[in-house]
Amino acid sequence: MSTDTTATTAITAVTAEPVRFDTKIAVLLRADLEPWQRLNVTSFLVSGLGSQVPEVIGEPYEDADGVRYLPMFRQPVMVFEATKEVLVAAHGRALSRALPRSVFTSDLFTTGNDRDNRAAVRAVATAELDVVGLAVYGPRNGVDKVVKGARMHP
């Protein structure tokens, strides 16, 4: 069997059975964000999950030439958008369910480093946070309840 055939057989074997996850990673963005803000907020939010919830990280990647790449999430990240009101409610539901979460507030658009980001969040009471983005991880049904009322990002 040639190397190409072996590789194709291995890929086919891996993809033959769909992988189902009983967990979900979701990012919820406020609908009024500019496109650059949506990308920035999403990248910051998911970095929090990857650093604190190790089970979401898969194995490292390697191409056919043996060049290695960093591992990424083992499952898809679902991105949603919602109004400010839905986002506030989702934040409350994530807190009440004690799901692993990361938050991005509007104040973070005015800071330029991690220290100032953390200080900006720390300076505001939970109920007063101007949340523009939220990432959550947990059981599929729990995450679905958190993002209730949001729609898939277009």
Side-chain angles (χ1 to χ4, degrees):
M1 188 179 287
S2 75
T3 304
D4 288 339
T5 305
T6 303
T8 301
T9 303
I11 291 169
T12 302
V14 170
T15 59
E17 292 184 38
V19 176
R20 303 279 187 227
F21 296 98
D22 58 355
T23 57
K24 188 178 234 180
I25 299 171
V27 172
L28 181 55
L29 303 171
R30 204 163 75 192
D32 63 349
L33 295 179
E34 295 293 326
W36 73 266
Q37 291 173 317
R38 291 170 185 247
L39 294 170
N40 183 266
V41 170
T42 300
S43 63
F44 269 91
L45 289 171
V46 297
S47 72
L49 292 177
S51 69
Q52 294 299 305
V53 188
E55 66 267 21
V56 301
I57 304 298
E59 297 297 319
Y61 287 74
E62 185 173 321
D63 67 25
D65 294 322
V67 176
R68 293 183 52 93
Y69 303 92
L70 294 172
M72 297 183 283
F73 289 130
R74 66 184 176 101
Q75 65 191 89
V77 176
M78 308 306 295
V79 181
F80 298 87
E81 68 174 10
T83 64
K84 181 177 183 172
E85 295 75 22
V86 170
L87 192 53
V88 167
H91 181 240
R93 290 190 294 265
L95 293 173
S96 71
R97 286 178 168 71
L99 292 175
R101 66 207 165 267
S102 50
V103 67
F104 198 103
T105 66
S106 63
D107 294 332
L108 303 186
F109 290 126
T110 65
T111 60
N113 61 74
D114 184 52
R115 183 193 66 229
D116 293 342
N117 285 350
R118 286 181 283 110
V121 173
R122 183 172 292 129
V124 181
T126 305
E128 302 302 317
L129 290 171
D130 185 17
V131 177
V132 299
L134 178 71
V136 294
Y137 170 76
R140 178 177 293 282
N141 64 347
V143 173
D144 287 343
K145 289 176 183 173
V146 167
V147 300
K148 182 180 178 184
R151 63 183 176 273
M152 288 295 294
H153 190 282

